[in-house]
Amino acid sequence: MSGSDLDLVVEQYHRALDAFVRGDSGLQKKMFSEREDVSLANPLGPPVRGRSAVEQTMDRAVSQLREGKPTTFERISDYTGTELAYIVEIERAQAKVGGADELSRISLRVTTIFRLEDGDWKVIHRHADPITSPRPIESVVEG
């Protein structure tokens, strides 16, 4: 995969994330691998592995979002190999969360890993968390 190929795949992925914050997980699901080693670590629960668990986790998350505005992306790092590629980004979005009537700002630190599968690049892992600014060491202590 060349750098320009990664750009095209990431552009599709970003459009899928825009749909996600509007409450539609369909495009995002199409970007993810169908294989059982696919995994997802979103900020709403523990990491999951396997296509069914990933889809259930996406459905739970997207059910809590609606009427989102397009996401902005700040690329931190990327790498493209022959069979694997990754991006590290800060994603910033606005959406109505839960039962709220007003838009809330959402910022996530995200690592996404892609794998070449049968000629197509698929997401094999996504890790997202809300850590986008420095925190004290005490923030990792379990209470």
Side-chain angles (χ1 to χ4, degrees):
M1 173 157 107
S2 70
S4 62
D5 291 337
L6 176 62
D7 290 342
L8 291 175
V9 171
V10 170
E11 188 177 310
Q12 292 173 342
Y13 179 62
H14 286 170
R15 283 196 301 271
L17 291 166
D18 285 343
F20 199 90
V21 297
R22 289 191 306 268
D24 178 4
S25 63
L27 292 175
Q28 183 81 319
K29 287 178 181 177
K30 289 178 185 177
M31 296 292 304
F32 273 68
S33 174
E34 297 280 340
R35 297 181 184 170
E36 285 307 305
D37 64 348
V38 67
S39 57
L40 175 61
N42 78 10
L44 305 179
V48 297
R49 179 184 166 121
R51 181 63 190 203
S52 177
V54 166
E55 285 194 8
Q56 289 172 14
T57 299
M58 281 186 197
D59 289 343
R60 180 175 169 260
V62 80
S63 72
Q64 300 175 60
L65 298 169
R66 66 188 193 292
E67 299 179 43
K69 296 188 177 210
T71 306
T72 61
F73 304 92
E74 177 187 340
R75 180 80 52 93
I76 306 300
S77 179
D78 60 64
Y79 170 80
T80 304
T82 57
E83 294 185 23
L84 291 174
Y86 77 82
I87 56 174
V88 177
E89 297 180 313
I90 302 296
E91 297 175 1
R92 290 187 171 84
Q94 292 185 33
K96 292 183 179 178
V97 178
D101 290 328
E102 64 280 343
L103 289 171
S104 296
R105 293 185 336 186
I106 303 165
S107 295
L108 297 172
R109 171 181 68 174
V110 181
T111 300
T112 307
I113 304 171
F114 300 87
R115 176 174 58 204
L116 188 60
E117 296 182 358
D118 303 320
D120 293 319
W121 289 93
K122 295 292 185 175
V123 174
I124 60 167
H125 178 72
R126 173 180 163 92
H127 172 260
D129 65 49
I131 302 172
T132 59
S133 62
R135 295 181 179 205
I137 189 64
E138 292 82 7
S139 70
V140 299
V141 174
E142 293 185 20

